[in-house]
Structures are given as structure tokens and as C-alpha cells.
């Protein structure tokens, strides 16, 4: 292999890795705050591409109907106990969060995104639809399980993933899509050629993950989400509810997922079931970082991207196998060096 | 206005009845204490008042009627509890634990919140020395100070303390009661759960004796302190404090 090819592969790997970084960061986030391994994160990415493509062809994306159904179920789940207890005074917040906001997004998607609308507007609509889905998913599936063990949560996450994939097949069919992206002449940095697409991906990924890192290590709001992870009752006593924290982190994950989808769409063909492999690669990155450390998860995800790029050069058919095999020595090494954590009780 | 009123208040855990139809009030600016033996239902009482556990009967915060909705709503009305289990954020630093105490005021000017932090550091110089240490590495006494400090960062109107002196050396216990007196002088209304009846009755205005889930005696703290039965069971020789 010549040096030039190696550089090209490295570049390719880093661009893909940048997407896996976003997936890994979202997974680590959700896991730290809620102990959920959020498998559906990959589905959100795939659905972003499919949604944008539907807007491009002037049809109503199936995700809009999924959003409508999810909002209706979530709203019913929130209102039912309030009606039974006669506490309609508490209904305002659910009505806004699960009625009004999804309602506006659905109405906009149905009536305000014509085929000839600008790409930016379609991207914004896609972002809104996908982002809104995540907290509703949390409300319907994970909020009732707030005290469940991580294993139960994992099973629920897998179930949600399969549910979403079958809905995806029903609404979008089996065809793959590519979305439009940044175009223009490639830019030369240090003598290497970068396409605008890959520069855009890398820049977004760096900005987003750095922003999230700052949010969770500096801002009081970010720390409050972590506090809910460390001690649920302690968090309640400072005015942070575990349910609210879970929903907020799901919202962040949804946003990150939608952005990842917009970034990856132009370079990767997305199918209704592409989410699983994508999510898994992010997860491998996250696990390399121990599902805990932020910087480690970023490094792990980049490594996944680079290994994948070189693997597809040498043995294209086996690239996923090679990537997933990577996890074995890493886990082995981690179990050797990492001290065993006892569950922290306080 | 009265800070807290409970009436016909019951708490049960499946078949166990921890509290059976009790009534209790906390007047503004007063220290109200609840004393009683282990298992009497004291922790159940404050946890349910804070919304951490279901109850039946009436619970009212006349100064903040909406606060009964959720725990979060209580905290927003500046009602909080230092729980028996302390519930610190073990993996966070001492100063982060404290700052999070003022979470609901996160949109207020930062210097105001930092001012509260300085005040708490003045009350507990030890916490200042250990401010970057992770909370789970603190000693038992330091943890209690941190739990109390975190609650003080809320600037509470109604503060409930569940055995703040539990397991502390006599010098620190005296320190904690001195702080309770200071808070009272500042006008904070306090519901104090204590095993240390002597110290509790000294600082309190009004007292309830809770036994087996029911209130068996109540009255002005000085009267309760002189009640022969209380003298015998809670202040008698051989009893700690
Ligand atoms: N989660 C629970 N499940 C079942 N029973 C409980 C639970 N929590 C408390 N109890 C029971 O309720 C009763 C009252 O307990 P509570 O903790 O309120 O007592 P306490 O007055 O605070 O005692 P202590 O002074 O020992 O802290 C006890 O008999 C206890 O065993
Ligand atoms: Mg107790």
C-alpha cells in the first residue's frame, strides 16, 4: 500500500469515525444518565436520511406518522392517571410537551414542506421530526421502567429497535437512499485534499462533542443530569426529577442522532435497517472508552472508523467482522487494567 | 402563615402501617421537633411530606399551595429535606454537590449563588478545605455537613432535618445544633427529627412525641421536656445525649 492510499484511507476513516464519535457520545450520555444502552440511536440516524429523502421527493415521510402515533400514546399515558385522580390542573405541561409541540412539527411537515422548498428548510423539518421522537420514546417505553435493572432496560431498547425497524420497512420500503450534502471544490490543507463534505462532518462532530463535553463538565444544568444518574433521590431533593433528566437526555440524543443522520446521509446509503450496524459501531467506540469516559469514547469511535476504512481496503467483505472483532482484545485489555467498580451506594 | 399542616396523615409500606392518622403543624420561624424511638415512623413522615413516598390524608403547605404536586414543586417553593440517607452525589466534588443545591436558581446571577456558597463555607470551614474531594471519600461527619450545606444553598423557607446529629461526635453535634439555632434566628422554619431529645427539645419551640406510628404527646418544647414520661424514656439516665 502506498503512502498516498494510506492517507486517503485515513481521511476516509476519520470522516466515518467522526460520525461514530457522535453516536458514541450520545450512547455514553444516555447510558450515564439513565443506564439505558440506547440501541435505537442508530435507527434515529437512519430515519433521518429516509425522512429527508421523502421530503425531497415531496411525499410525507412515515416518521411523521410515527411521531403522531407516539405523541398520542404518550399523551394518553400522561393524561390518564391525571383524569383518574381528578388533577387536571397538572395537565398543562403534558399537553404542551406531548400535544402542542409534536402537533406543530407534524402540521409543519404535512403542510409547510413542499417539494420545491429549500434543502435547508427540509433539513430543519427533518431535524425537528427526529429530535421530537426521542423524548416520546423515552416517555412511552423507558419512563415506566425508571427503576428497572440495566438488563431489563437493554431488552426494552432492543425491542424498541426492532419495533422501529419494522415501522421503517412498512413506511419507507426496502430501498436505500442517499441524501444531498455539502458540495463544492475540495480544499487543500497541508497538501492533503479534503472534500467539503468530510470537512463539514469533522467540524460538526468536533463542535458538537466539545459542546456536549463542556455542557456536562461545566454547566450546572449538565451536572444536574449527571446528579440524577448518581443519586436519584438526592437529585429530587435539589429539584431535578429522574424522569425529567431522562427525557432531557433523550432529547439531546435525538438531536445528536438527527445531526449525525444529516452528516452521514450523503456518503452512505441508508436503508430502513441501517441503524443497527451504525449504532453498534458507535457502541463499540463507546465500550472501548468504557461507556464512561468522554474523551475515551471519542478516541474509541475514531479508531473504529479508521479500522473500518483500512479493513474495507484489504478485505472489504469482512470489514464489519473486523471492526466487531476489535472489541474482543480491547475488552480483554480493559478487564485486565480496570479496577472492578463496586456499585456506588451514595 | 403556617408553613406545614398534616392531618389524618398515614403512610404504609404494603401491609406495614408506618404512620397512622397523625396531625402536625409547623409554624413560621419555629423549630418543631419530632422525637421518638427507632421505627416510630419519623423518617416515613418527612419522606412522605417531601413527596418521596405515597401517603393518605391531608398535606398542606399554606404558604405555597401548589407545592404538594411533586417533589420538584416543593423544592421550587424552597421546601427541602436533609434525608437520613444523606443522598449525596458520590462521584462529584464537594463544591459541585453544594452548587447543585442552588440548582433551581440557576438562572439567577452567579455571584448571588457564589455568595451562598461562601456562607456555607463559613459555617463549615472543613468543606472549604475539602471542596475538590469527591463526596464519597468524605468521613461520616463531613457527609452530614455536606448534606446540610447542600440544603442551605437552596435558601430554604421550610427545612426538614432527619437526624442531623446521627453518629456524630459530641463536639460536632453541638456545632450542628448551633447552626440550627442560627437558621432559626434567620427565620427559617424547621422540622427537626431527632433521637437526641435533650438537644432537640432545647432548640425547639414545639415538640411531638411519635411512638409506633401515632403521636402520643405534643406541646411546647419546654413542657414536653418536663413531662415525667419523656423525662423517663427519652431524657432519663443512661440515654445518650
Ligand atoms: N421501604 C420500607 N418497606 C417496608 N417497611 C418499611 C420501609 N421503610 C420503613 N419501613 C418500616 O416502617 C416503620 C417506620 O420506619 P421509619 O424509618 O419511618 O422509622 P424511624 O422513626 O425513622 O426510625 P429510626 O429512628 O430508626 O430512623 C418501621 O417499622 C420500618 O421497618
Ligand atoms: Mg429514621
Amino acid at each position: 500500500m502506498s503512502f498516498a492510499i494510506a492517507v486517503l484511507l485515513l481521511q476516509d476513516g476519520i470522516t466515518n469515525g467522526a460520525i461514530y464519535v457522535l453516536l458514541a457520545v450520545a450512547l455514553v450520555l444516555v447510558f450515564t444518565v439513565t443506564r439505558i444502552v440506547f440501541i435505537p440511536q442508530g435507527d434515529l440516524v437512519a430515519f433521518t436520511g429516509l425522512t429527508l429523502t421523502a421530503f425531497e421527493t415531496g411525499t410525507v415521510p412515515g416518521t411523521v406518522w410515527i411521531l403522531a402515533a407516539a405523541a398520542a400514546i404518550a399523551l394518553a399515558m400522561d393524561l390518564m392517571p391525571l383524569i383518574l385522580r381528578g388533577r387536571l390542573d397538572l395537565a398543562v405541561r403534558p399537553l404542551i410537551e406531548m400535544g402542542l409541540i409534536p402537533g406543530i412539527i407534524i402540521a409543519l411537515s404535512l403542510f409547510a414542506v413542499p417539494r420545491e422548498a429549500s434543502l435547508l428548510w427540509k433539513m430543519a423539518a427533518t431535524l425537528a421530526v427526529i429530535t421530537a421522537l426521542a423524548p416520546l420514546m423515552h416517555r412511552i417505553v423507558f419512563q415506566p421502567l425508571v427503576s428497572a435493572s440495566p438488563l431489563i432496560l437493554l431488552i426494552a431498547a432492543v425491542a424498541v429497535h426492532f419495533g422501529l425497524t419494522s415501522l421503517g420497512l412498512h413506511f419507507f420500503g426496502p430501498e436505500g437512499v442517499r441524501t444531498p450534502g455539502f458540495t463544492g471544490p475540495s480544499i487543500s490543507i497541508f497538501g492533503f485534499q479534503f472534500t467539503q463534505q468530510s470537512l463539514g462532518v469533522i467540524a460538526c462532530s468536533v463542535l458538537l462533542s466539545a459542546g456536549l463535553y463542556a455542557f456536562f463538565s461545566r454547566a450546572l444544568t449538565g451536572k444536574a443530569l449527571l446528579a440524577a444518574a448518581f443519586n436519584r433521590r438526592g437529585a429530587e431533593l435539589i429539584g431535578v426529577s429522574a424522569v425529567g433528566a431522562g427525557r432531557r437526555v433523550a432529547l439531546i440524543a435525538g438531536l445528536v442522532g438527527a445531526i449525525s443522520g444529516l452528516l452521514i446521509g450523503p456518503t452512505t446509503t441508508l436503508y430502513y435497517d441501517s441503524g443497527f450496524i451504525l449504532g453498534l459501531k458507535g457502541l463499540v467506540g463507546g465500550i472501548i472508552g468504557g461507556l464512561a469516559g468522554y474523551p475515551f469514547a471519542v478516541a474509541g469511535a475514531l479508531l473504529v472508523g479508521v479500522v473500518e476504512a483500512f479493513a474495507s481496503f484489504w478485505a472489504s467483505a469482512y470489514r464489519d467482522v473486523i471492526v466487531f472483532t476489535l472489541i474482543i482484545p480491547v475488552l480483554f485489555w480493559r478487564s485486565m487494567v480496570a479496577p472492578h467498580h463496586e456499585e456506588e451506594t451514595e | 402563615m403556617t408553613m406545614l399542616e398534616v392531618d389524618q396523615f398515614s403512610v404504609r409500606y404494603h401491609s406495614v402501617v408506618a404512620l397512622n392518622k397523625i396531625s402536625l403543624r409547623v409554624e413560621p420561624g419555629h423549630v418543631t421537633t419530632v422525637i421518638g424511638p427507632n421505627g416510630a415512623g419519623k423518617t416515613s413522615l418527612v419522606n412522605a411530606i417531601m413527596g418521596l413516598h405515597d401517603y393518605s390524608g391531608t398535606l398542606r403547605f399554606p404558604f405555597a399551595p401548589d407545592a404538594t404536586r411533586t417533589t420538584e414543586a416543593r423544592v421550587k417553593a424552597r421546601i427541602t429535606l436533609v434525608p437520613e440517607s444523606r443522598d449525596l452525589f458520590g462521584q462529584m466534588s464537594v463544591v459541585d454537590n453544594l452548587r447543585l443545591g442552588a440548582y433551581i436558581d440557576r438562572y439567577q446571577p452567579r455571584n448571588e449563588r457564589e455568595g451562598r456558597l461562601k456562607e456555607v463555607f463559613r459555617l463549615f470551614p472543613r468543606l472549604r478545605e475539602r471542596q475538590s474531594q469527591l463526596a464519597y471519600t468524605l468521613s461520616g461527619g463531613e457527609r452530614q455537613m455536606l448534606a446540610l450545606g447542600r440544603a442551605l444553598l437552596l435558601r430554604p423557607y421550610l427545612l426538614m432535618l432527619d437526624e442531623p446529629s446521627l453518629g456524630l461526635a459530641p463536639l460536632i453535634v453541638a456545632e450542628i445544633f448551633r447552626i440550627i439555632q442560627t437558621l432559626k434566628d434567620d427565620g427559617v422554619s424547621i422540622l427537626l427529627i431527632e433521637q437526641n431529645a435533650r438537644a432537640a427539645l432545647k432548640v425547639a419551640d414545639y415538640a411531638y412525641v411519635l411512638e409506633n406510628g401515632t403521636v402520643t404527646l405534643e406541646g411546647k418544647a419546654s413542657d414536653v421536656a418536663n413531662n415525667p414520661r419523656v423525662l423517663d424514656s427519652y431524657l432519663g439516665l443512661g440515654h445518650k445525649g
Side-chain angles (χ1 to χ4, degrees), chain A residues 139-163:
Chain A
R139 168 64 191 93
I140 296 171
V141 182
F142 297 106
Q143 182 175 323
L145 299 175
V146 68
S147 318
S149 68
L151 179 63
I152 302 283
L153 293 171
L154 177 64
I155 294 169
V158 171
V160 172
H161 158 72
F162 280 119

PDB file of all heavy atoms in Angstrom, chain A residues 139-163:
ATOM      1  N   ARG A 139     -40.594   8.527  26.995  1.00  0.00           N
ATOM      2  CA  ARG A 139     -41.814   8.590  27.804  1.00  0.00           C
ATOM      3  C   ARG A 139     -42.587   7.275  27.758  1.00  0.00           C
ATOM      4  O   ARG A 139     -43.042   6.763  28.764  1.00  0.00           O
ATOM      5  CB  ARG A 139     -42.721   9.729  27.291  1.00  0.00           C
ATOM      6  CG  ARG A 139     -44.132   9.715  27.861  1.00  0.00           C
ATOM      7  CD  ARG A 139     -44.072   9.951  29.360  1.00  0.00           C
ATOM      8  NE  ARG A 139     -45.321   9.716  30.054  1.00  0.00           N
ATOM      9  CZ  ARG A 139     -45.664   8.565  30.627  1.00  0.00           C
ATOM     10  NH1 ARG A 139     -44.849   7.522  30.561  1.00  0.00           N
ATOM     11  NH2 ARG A 139     -46.791   8.441  31.283  1.00  0.00           N
ATOM     12  N   ILE A 140     -42.713   6.721  26.533  1.00  0.00           N
ATOM     13  CA  ILE A 140     -43.579   5.555  26.377  1.00  0.00           C
ATOM     14  C   ILE A 140     -42.916   4.298  26.930  1.00  0.00           C
ATOM     15  O   ILE A 140     -43.523   3.523  27.662  1.00  0.00           O
ATOM     16  CB  ILE A 140     -43.937   5.353  24.890  1.00  0.00           C
ATOM     17  CG1 ILE A 140     -44.743   6.557  24.402  1.00  0.00           C
ATOM     18  CG2 ILE A 140     -44.723   4.070  24.685  1.00  0.00           C
ATOM     19  CD1 ILE A 140     -44.969   6.577  22.914  1.00  0.00           C
ATOM     20  N   VAL A 141     -41.647   4.098  26.586  1.00  0.00           N
ATOM     21  CA  VAL A 141     -41.016   2.824  26.921  1.00  0.00           C
ATOM     22  C   VAL A 141     -40.197   2.896  28.200  1.00  0.00           C
ATOM     23  O   VAL A 141     -40.303   2.015  29.060  1.00  0.00           O
ATOM     24  CB  VAL A 141     -40.104   2.365  25.762  1.00  0.00           C
ATOM     25  CG1 VAL A 141     -39.476   1.022  26.092  1.00  0.00           C
ATOM     26  CG2 VAL A 141     -40.900   2.288  24.476  1.00  0.00           C
ATOM     27  N   PHE A 142     -39.370   3.913  28.343  1.00  0.00           N
ATOM     28  CA  PHE A 142     -38.373   3.868  29.407  1.00  0.00           C
ATOM     29  C   PHE A 142     -38.831   4.517  30.710  1.00  0.00           C
ATOM     30  O   PHE A 142     -38.407   4.101  31.773  1.00  0.00           O
ATOM     31  CB  PHE A 142     -37.065   4.492  28.921  1.00  0.00           C
ATOM     32  CG  PHE A 142     -36.460   3.734  27.777  1.00  0.00           C
ATOM     33  CD1 PHE A 142     -36.506   4.238  26.493  1.00  0.00           C
ATOM     34  CD2 PHE A 142     -35.888   2.481  27.983  1.00  0.00           C
ATOM     35  CE1 PHE A 142     -35.977   3.521  25.433  1.00  0.00           C
ATOM     36  CE2 PHE A 142     -35.370   1.763  26.936  1.00  0.00           C
ATOM     37  CZ  PHE A 142     -35.407   2.279  25.648  1.00  0.00           C
ATOM     38  N   GLN A 143     -39.700   5.507  30.634  1.00  0.00           N
ATOM     39  CA  GLN A 143     -40.146   6.135  31.880  1.00  0.00           C
ATOM     40  C   GLN A 143     -40.855   5.146  32.808  1.00  0.00           C
ATOM     41  O   GLN A 143     -40.596   5.151  34.004  1.00  0.00           O
ATOM     42  CB  GLN A 143     -41.046   7.336  31.570  1.00  0.00           C
ATOM     43  CG  GLN A 143     -41.500   8.067  32.819  1.00  0.00           C
ATOM     44  CD  GLN A 143     -42.279   9.322  32.488  1.00  0.00           C
ATOM     45  OE1 GLN A 143     -41.966  10.023  31.524  1.00  0.00           O
ATOM     46  NE2 GLN A 143     -43.296   9.614  33.288  1.00  0.00           N
ATOM     47  N   PRO A 144     -41.717   4.267  32.288  1.00  0.00           N
ATOM     48  CA  PRO A 144     -42.328   3.283  33.191  1.00  0.00           C
ATOM     49  C   PRO A 144     -41.294   2.330  33.798  1.00  0.00           C
ATOM     50  O   PRO A 144     -41.563   1.666  34.784  1.00  0.00           O
ATOM     51  CB  PRO A 144     -43.299   2.514  32.292  1.00  0.00           C
ATOM     52  CG  PRO A 144     -43.554   3.422  31.135  1.00  0.00           C
ATOM     53  CD  PRO A 144     -42.294   4.196  30.941  1.00  0.00           C
ATOM     54  N   LEU A 145     -40.101   2.259  33.191  1.00  0.00           N
ATOM     55  CA  LEU A 145     -39.077   1.325  33.662  1.00  0.00           C
ATOM     56  C   LEU A 145     -38.005   2.047  34.472  1.00  0.00           C
ATOM     57  O   LEU A 145     -36.882   1.556  34.596  1.00  0.00           O
ATOM     58  CB  LEU A 145     -38.402   0.639  32.466  1.00  0.00           C
ATOM     59  CG  LEU A 145     -39.321  -0.193  31.567  1.00  0.00           C
ATOM     60  CD1 LEU A 145     -38.546  -0.705  30.365  1.00  0.00           C
ATOM     61  CD2 LEU A 145     -39.893  -1.367  32.346  1.00  0.00           C
ATOM     62  N   VAL A 146     -38.352   3.209  35.034  1.00  0.00           N
ATOM     63  CA  VAL A 146     -37.310   4.051  35.608  1.00  0.00           C
ATOM     64  C   VAL A 146     -36.527   3.340  36.719  1.00  0.00           C
ATOM     65  O   VAL A 146     -35.350   3.613  36.931  1.00  0.00           O
ATOM     66  CB  VAL A 146     -37.891   5.408  36.084  1.00  0.00           C
ATOM     67  CG1 VAL A 146     -38.799   5.223  37.274  1.00  0.00           C
ATOM     68  CG2 VAL A 146     -36.814   6.411  36.378  1.00  0.00           C
ATOM     69  N   SER A 147     -37.166   2.386  37.401  1.00  0.00           N
ATOM     70  CA  SER A 147     -36.431   1.689  38.459  1.00  0.00           C
ATOM     71  C   SER A 147     -35.929   0.316  38.013  1.00  0.00           C
ATOM     72  O   SER A 147     -35.446  -0.457  38.834  1.00  0.00           O
ATOM     73  CB  SER A 147     -37.315   1.507  39.692  1.00  0.00           C
ATOM     74  OG  SER A 147     -38.042   2.663  39.949  1.00  0.00           O
ATOM     75  N   ALA A 148     -36.057  -0.014  36.728  1.00  0.00           N
ATOM     76  CA  ALA A 148     -35.690  -1.352  36.269  1.00  0.00           C
ATOM     77  C   ALA A 148     -34.174  -1.515  36.187  1.00  0.00           C
ATOM     78  O   ALA A 148     -33.426  -0.540  36.160  1.00  0.00           O
ATOM     79  CB  ALA A 148     -36.320  -1.619  34.912  1.00  0.00           C
ATOM     80  N   SER A 149     -33.729  -2.771  36.157  1.00  0.00           N
ATOM     81  CA  SER A 149     -32.300  -3.055  36.085  1.00  0.00           C
ATOM     82  C   SER A 149     -31.794  -2.769  34.671  1.00  0.00           C
ATOM     83  O   SER A 149     -32.563  -2.757  33.715  1.00  0.00           O
ATOM     84  CB  SER A 149     -32.057  -4.526  36.411  1.00  0.00           C
ATOM     85  OG  SER A 149     -32.589  -5.309  35.371  1.00  0.00           O
ATOM     86  N   PRO A 150     -30.471  -2.551  34.532  1.00  0.00           N
ATOM     87  CA  PRO A 150     -29.913  -2.299  33.200  1.00  0.00           C
ATOM     88  C   PRO A 150     -30.256  -3.389  32.195  1.00  0.00           C
ATOM     89  O   PRO A 150     -30.453  -3.102  31.009  1.00  0.00           O
ATOM     90  CB  PRO A 150     -28.405  -2.238  33.458  1.00  0.00           C
ATOM     91  CG  PRO A 150     -28.286  -1.801  34.869  1.00  0.00           C
ATOM     92  CD  PRO A 150     -29.456  -2.394  35.587  1.00  0.00           C
ATOM     93  N   LEU A 151     -30.366  -4.643  32.651  1.00  0.00           N
ATOM     94  CA  LEU A 151     -30.679  -5.724  31.718  1.00  0.00           C
ATOM     95  C   LEU A 151     -32.073  -5.544  31.118  1.00  0.00           C
ATOM     96  O   LEU A 151     -32.269  -5.655  29.902  1.00  0.00           O
ATOM     97  CB  LEU A 151     -30.569  -7.080  32.430  1.00  0.00           C
ATOM     98  CG  LEU A 151     -30.895  -8.261  31.520  1.00  0.00           C
ATOM     99  CD1 LEU A 151     -29.892  -8.354  30.371  1.00  0.00           C
ATOM    100  CD2 LEU A 151     -30.934  -9.559  32.298  1.00  0.00           C
ATOM    101  N   ILE A 152     -33.035  -5.263  31.984  1.00  0.00           N
ATOM    102  CA  ILE A 152     -34.404  -5.018  31.505  1.00  0.00           C
ATOM    103  C   ILE A 152     -34.414  -3.834  30.533  1.00  0.00           C
ATOM    104  O   ILE A 152     -35.059  -3.869  29.475  1.00  0.00           O
ATOM    105  CB  ILE A 152     -35.352  -4.705  32.688  1.00  0.00           C
ATOM    106  CG1 ILE A 152     -35.354  -5.832  33.699  1.00  0.00           C
ATOM    107  CG2 ILE A 152     -36.754  -4.386  32.196  1.00  0.00           C
ATOM    108  CD1 ILE A 152     -36.141  -7.034  33.309  1.00  0.00           C
ATOM    109  N   LEU A 153     -33.660  -2.787  30.887  1.00  0.00           N
ATOM    110  CA  LEU A 153     -33.613  -1.607  30.031  1.00  0.00           C
ATOM    111  C   LEU A 153     -33.020  -1.949  28.671  1.00  0.00           C
ATOM    112  O   LEU A 153     -33.469  -1.460  27.639  1.00  0.00           O
ATOM    113  CB  LEU A 153     -32.790  -0.506  30.702  1.00  0.00           C
ATOM    114  CG  LEU A 153     -33.418   0.091  31.970  1.00  0.00           C
ATOM    115  CD1 LEU A 153     -32.439   1.013  32.680  1.00  0.00           C
ATOM    116  CD2 LEU A 153     -34.689   0.853  31.618  1.00  0.00           C
ATOM    117  N   LEU A 154     -31.997  -2.821  28.681  1.00  0.00           N
ATOM    118  CA  LEU A 154     -31.375  -3.227  27.421  1.00  0.00           C
ATOM    119  C   LEU A 154     -32.370  -3.993  26.553  1.00  0.00           C
ATOM    120  O   LEU A 154     -32.490  -3.763  25.349  1.00  0.00           O
ATOM    121  CB  LEU A 154     -30.135  -4.093  27.709  1.00  0.00           C
ATOM    122  CG  LEU A 154     -29.434  -4.650  26.472  1.00  0.00           C
ATOM    123  CD1 LEU A 154     -28.874  -3.519  25.628  1.00  0.00           C
ATOM    124  CD2 LEU A 154     -28.311  -5.597  26.863  1.00  0.00           C
ATOM    125  N   ILE A 155     -33.101  -4.901  27.205  1.00  0.00           N
ATOM    126  CA  ILE A 155     -34.093  -5.678  26.459  1.00  0.00           C
ATOM    127  C   ILE A 155     -35.135  -4.733  25.853  1.00  0.00           C
ATOM    128  O   ILE A 155     -35.506  -4.843  24.676  1.00  0.00           O
ATOM    129  CB  ILE A 155     -34.771  -6.715  27.383  1.00  0.00           C
ATOM    130  CG1 ILE A 155     -33.727  -7.760  27.816  1.00  0.00           C
ATOM    131  CG2 ILE A 155     -35.947  -7.391  26.689  1.00  0.00           C
ATOM    132  CD1 ILE A 155     -34.191  -8.682  28.919  1.00  0.00           C
ATOM    133  N   ALA A 156     -35.567  -3.761  26.660  1.00  0.00           N
ATOM    134  CA  ALA A 156     -36.545  -2.800  26.145  1.00  0.00           C
ATOM    135  C   ALA A 156     -35.972  -2.017  24.966  1.00  0.00           C
ATOM    136  O   ALA A 156     -36.664  -1.782  23.972  1.00  0.00           O
ATOM    137  CB  ALA A 156     -36.965  -1.842  27.264  1.00  0.00           C
ATOM    138  N   ALA A 157     -34.682  -1.657  25.076  1.00  0.00           N
ATOM    139  CA  ALA A 157     -34.061  -0.883  23.996  1.00  0.00           C
ATOM    140  C   ALA A 157     -34.007  -1.701  22.709  1.00  0.00           C
ATOM    141  O   ALA A 157     -34.276  -1.190  21.614  1.00  0.00           O
ATOM    142  CB  ALA A 157     -32.658  -0.439  24.407  1.00  0.00           C
ATOM    143  N   VAL A 158     -33.682  -2.995  22.855  1.00  0.00           N
ATOM    144  CA  VAL A 158     -33.647  -3.858  21.668  1.00  0.00           C
ATOM    145  C   VAL A 158     -35.045  -3.975  21.068  1.00  0.00           C
ATOM    146  O   VAL A 158     -35.229  -3.904  19.840  1.00  0.00           O
ATOM    147  CB  VAL A 158     -33.092  -5.258  22.046  1.00  0.00           C
ATOM    148  CG1 VAL A 158     -33.248  -6.225  20.886  1.00  0.00           C
ATOM    149  CG2 VAL A 158     -31.631  -5.146  22.456  1.00  0.00           C
ATOM    150  N   ALA A 159     -36.046  -4.096  21.949  1.00  0.00           N
ATOM    151  CA  ALA A 159     -37.429  -4.192  21.464  1.00  0.00           C
ATOM    152  C   ALA A 159     -37.818  -2.932  20.690  1.00  0.00           C
ATOM    153  O   ALA A 159     -38.417  -3.007  19.609  1.00  0.00           O
ATOM    154  CB  ALA A 159     -38.378  -4.413  22.640  1.00  0.00           C
ATOM    155  N   VAL A 160     -37.459  -1.783  21.225  1.00  0.00           N
ATOM    156  CA  VAL A 160     -37.768  -0.529  20.532  1.00  0.00           C
ATOM    157  C   VAL A 160     -37.098  -0.522  19.165  1.00  0.00           C
ATOM    158  O   VAL A 160     -37.703  -0.134  18.155  1.00  0.00           O
ATOM    159  CB  VAL A 160     -37.290   0.691  21.356  1.00  0.00           C
ATOM    160  CG1 VAL A 160     -37.433   1.970  20.544  1.00  0.00           C
ATOM    161  CG2 VAL A 160     -38.073   0.795  22.649  1.00  0.00           C
ATOM    162  N   HIS A 161     -35.833  -0.983  19.142  1.00  0.00           N
ATOM    163  CA  HIS A 161     -35.117  -1.023  17.865  1.00  0.00           C
ATOM    164  C   HIS A 161     -35.861  -1.868  16.833  1.00  0.00           C
ATOM    165  O   HIS A 161     -36.070  -1.452  15.699  1.00  0.00           O
ATOM    166  CB  HIS A 161     -33.703  -1.548  18.077  1.00  0.00           C
ATOM    167  CG  HIS A 161     -33.092  -2.109  16.844  1.00  0.00           C
ATOM    168  ND1 HIS A 161     -32.692  -1.295  15.804  1.00  0.00           N
ATOM    169  CD2 HIS A 161     -32.876  -3.386  16.456  1.00  0.00           C
ATOM    170  CE1 HIS A 161     -32.237  -2.063  14.824  1.00  0.00           C
ATOM    171  NE2 HIS A 161     -32.335  -3.331  15.195  1.00  0.00           N
ATOM    172  N   PHE A 162     -36.293  -3.073  17.248  1.00  0.00           N
ATOM    173  CA  PHE A 162     -36.992  -3.934  16.285  1.00  0.00           C
ATOM    174  C   PHE A 162     -38.321  -3.320  15.870  1.00  0.00           C
ATOM    175  O   PHE A 162     -38.707  -3.383  14.695  1.00  0.00           O
ATOM    176  CB  PHE A 162     -37.192  -5.343  16.861  1.00  0.00           C
ATOM    177  CG  PHE A 162     -35.945  -6.170  16.756  1.00  0.00           C
ATOM    178  CD1 PHE A 162     -35.318  -6.658  17.888  1.00  0.00           C
ATOM    179  CD2 PHE A 162     -35.375  -6.428  15.513  1.00  0.00           C
ATOM    180  CE1 PHE A 162     -34.146  -7.398  17.787  1.00  0.00           C
ATOM    181  CE2 PHE A 162     -34.203  -7.163  15.405  1.00  0.00           C
ATOM    182  CZ  PHE A 162     -33.586  -7.644  16.550  1.00  0.00           C
ATOM    183  N   GLY A 163     -39.001  -2.708  16.836  1.00  0.00           N
ATOM    184  CA  GLY A 163     -40.254  -2.023  16.511  1.00  0.00           C
ATOM    185  C   GLY A 163     -40.027  -0.952  15.463  1.00  0.00           C
ATOM    186  O   GLY A 163     -40.747  -0.872  14.448  1.00  0.00           O
TER     187      GLY A 163
END
